[in-house]
Amino acid sequence: MSGTEGLVTANIPSEALDLIDPTSQAYWSDTHRILAPLRERFAVVRSTAGDFEVLRHEHVELLLRDPRMKQALYVMLENQGIESGPLHGWWQHLINALDPPEHTRLRGLVGRAFTPRQVTRLRPRIRAIAHRLIDAAAEAGDVDLVGTFCHALPLEVLCEMVGIEAEDRALFERWTDIVSSAFSAVIPPESRAKIEQAILEFDAAASDLIERRRRARANDTLLDSLIAVEEAGERLTHVELRALILNLLFAGHDTTKSLLANALWTLVSHPDELAKLRAKPDLVGSAVEEVARYETPIPSIPRIATVDLEIEGVAIAAGSYVALSIPSANRDPRRFVDPDRFDVARNDTGHFTFGHGVHHCVGAAIARAEIQEGLAALLERGFELEPSVDRPQWTAFLSTRRVAALPVRFRVRKPAP
């Protein structure tokens, strides 16, 4: 890959490339089966959701680090004719929609809550929440683990971190769930109306929450720290503060929920690997990384090329909308040995589920901790799952890719410690 000088070597006409269709149900139903043969034919393919999709690990890594590739989330909206309104306005203040220096400023503020020391301090609380949710699932017996355990664990952790009281969580939960479809390349008109209403309602509630925390003059939560910065008057505006709350709740909840759901299904559908993990619970860390690689919840990361590029003989003109395929890169045989094999002992963090470079996920440490502690608690309890379906459905047209539901007969052999 190179800059404009690379155009002289570009010799594969765009029309000769395969076409990938992320707007189709088939793509979401069996993503890896569709991506694998495409990746072997071309490093880059055309896309119905933009201009190009990059499929190989080497090039995804380079482009994620390349400062000439700018954030493209706003273009995802514009491609759908959304150029004004509450949704468009909210996106202007999202961390993951910004480039440096704005991105650097906001990331630095939020990153204070996700230091290794802070995450270590939170682990016992995460484990305690997990055990309580396990007790509830065991008492119910027949449950959908995606809608209960996977949904509630990251939500409760984040609400405690932000400072949202228990009586208010149902509303914030509803809003973040609706907003989860705002990051899709395909937003149906009826969904847009619901999303924008949820943003307006959330904005009003966030303002009220900020004022209550301000009056309390506490210093217990992430929100308290951000309010102190906002009151200093130079580094964080009130609008940015409200947007950050929704950004933190949505991004931190939806991705972690999806990765935890994918982890449970992947382990249940690979009984030998689950047995290996039961025998050696200290493999939880590598197992989480392997799930993140094997069944990533991130369908793609969009970027805009600001210069002409060339990738393996394909010319990408400046201004092109380029999607970096995370499921494809994470299973590229050029980077991973036997990539379609799930192995809980594979200790490789070379996947891109948490991003890469300056836009590496600021909450990656807390997300990892939530999933590690959640799985560790399940292993500690001797959990048993009997799925009610042979093969679950995968979500479609959302910002995250996950099993839509995981109905099971759930039992535990040990009480909470």
Side-chain angles (χ1 to χ4, degrees), residues 73-135:
L73 288 175
Y74 67 93
V75 180
M76 189 186 297
L77 288 185
E78 292 174 358
N79 285 345
Q80 301 176 73
I82 303 174
E83 299 182 354
S84 63
L87 177 55
H88 186 271
W90 173 58
W91 274 43
Q92 310 312 305
H93 302 288
L94 294 182
I95 296 178
N96 49 340
L98 299 173
D99 289 301
E102 292 85 357
H103 172 269
T104 307
R105 174 175 61 89
L106 292 177
R107 180 187 174 93
L109 296 174
V110 177
R112 297 175 182 177
F114 301 117
T115 63
R117 178 180 295 180
Q118 291 282 63
V119 171
T120 298
R121 183 178 62 81
L122 284 169
R123 281 183 179 271
R125 180 59 184 153
I126 297 171
R127 183 78 70 100
I129 294 172
H131 278 300
R132 177 165 51 77
L133 295 173
I134 290 169
D135 285 337

Side-chain angles (χ1 to χ4, degrees), residues 162-163 206-219 221 223-233 236-239 241-242 245:
V162 172
S207 291
D208 180 64
L209 174 64
I210 290 167
E211 291 310 310
R212 280 188 279 128
R213 298 301 304 181
R214 198 192 305 277
R215 288 194 299 270
R217 290 292 172 186
N219 189 29
T221 69
L223 180 55
D224 296 328
S225 299
L226 293 175
I227 287 172
V229 173
E230 182 251 350
E231 288 179 339
L236 186 64
T237 69
H238 192 62
V239 172
L241 179 55
R242 295 199 310 269
I245 298 172

Side-chain angles (χ1 to χ4, degrees), residues 358-371:
V358 297
H359 289 285
H360 182 268
C361 176
V362 68
I366 192 66
R368 284 183 165 105
E370 288 169 347
I371 300 165

Side-chain angles (χ1 to χ4, degrees), residues 32-313:
H32 296 295
R33 182 184 64 82
I34 288 175
L35 289 173
L38 297 179
R39 181 181 57 233
E40 296 314 301
R41 286 196 292 271
F42 295 108
V44 182
V45 293
R46 292 177 296 126
S47 173
T48 60
D51 296 312
F52 298 98
E53 188 135 351
V54 180
L55 302 180
R56 295 178 184 170
H57 188 282
E58 172 191 0
H59 306 113
V60 169
E61 181 176 18
L62 288 171
L63 292 176
L64 284 173
R65 290 206 317 259
D66 194 332
R68 301 171 301 174
M69 304 297 291
K70 299 299 183 182
Q71 287 285 27
L73 288 175
Y74 67 93
V75 180
M76 189 186 297
L77 288 185
E78 292 174 358
N79 285 345
Q80 301 176 73
I82 303 174
E83 299 182 354
S84 63
L87 177 55
H88 186 271
W90 173 58
W91 274 43
Q92 310 312 305
H93 302 288
L94 294 182
I95 296 178
N96 49 340
L98 299 173
D99 289 301
E102 292 85 357
H103 172 269
T104 307
R105 174 175 61 89
L106 292 177
R107 180 187 174 93
L109 296 174
V110 177
R112 297 175 182 177
F114 301 117
T115 63
R117 178 180 295 180
Q118 291 282 63
V119 171
T120 298
R121 183 178 62 81
L122 284 169
R123 281 183 179 271
R125 180 59 184 153
I126 297 171
R127 183 78 70 100
I129 294 172
H131 278 300
R132 177 165 51 77
L133 295 173
I134 290 169
D135 285 337
E139 183 177 353
D142 293 310
V143 295
D144 168 23
L145 287 177
V146 176
T148 54
F149 183 77
C150 300
H151 180 83
L153 179 61
L155 182 70
E156 290 200 27
V157 172
L158 285 165
C159 283
E160 286 193 7
M161 289 183 66
V162 172
I164 298 172
E165 301 295 338
E167 61 268 22
D168 297 324
R169 289 176 188 173
L171 274 177
F172 282 91
E173 174 184 3
R174 174 178 172 272
W175 291 325
T176 55
D177 190 51
I178 293 173
V179 170
S180 68
S181 57
F183 290 81
S184 173
V186 183
I187 304 176
E190 61 274 15
S191 295
R192 177 185 173 184
K194 292 179 182 178
I195 292 167
E196 298 204 320
Q197 183 61 35
I199 289 173
L200 291 173
E201 293 173 359
F202 181 95
D203 206 40
S207 291
D208 180 64
L209 174 64
I210 290 167
E211 291 310 310
R212 280 188 279 128
R213 298 301 304 181
R214 198 192 305 277
R215 288 194 299 270
R217 290 292 172 186
N219 189 29
D220 304 323
T221 69
L222 170 60
L223 180 55
D224 296 328
S225 299
L226 293 175
I227 287 172
V229 173
E230 182 251 350
E231 288 179 339
E234 293 184 359
R235 302 192 64 200
L236 186 64
T237 69
H238 192 62
V239 172
E240 288 174 334
L241 179 55
R242 295 199 310 269
L244 270 176
I245 298 172
L246 182 52
N247 197 173
L248 287 167
L249 287 175
F250 160 71
H253 176 236
D254 197 59
T255 304
T256 307
K257 168 185 175 178
S258 298
L259 188 51
L260 186 53
N262 293 356
L264 291 179
W265 168 247
T266 304
L267 286 168
V268 169
S269 58
H270 292 79
D272 290 346
E273 293 304 304
L274 177 55
K276 187 190 300 183
L277 188 58
R278 290 188 192 277
K280 295 184 177 181
D282 58 340
L283 290 176
V284 161
S286 63
V288 170
E289 298 304 319
E290 177 68 343
V291 171
R293 182 198 70 82
Y294 186 81
E295 288 294 8
T296 177
I298 309 301
S300 67
I301 297 176
R303 292 287 188 267
I304 297 294
T306 62
V307 296
D308 293 339
L309 302 171
E310 180 269 328
I311 298 177
E312 298 290 335

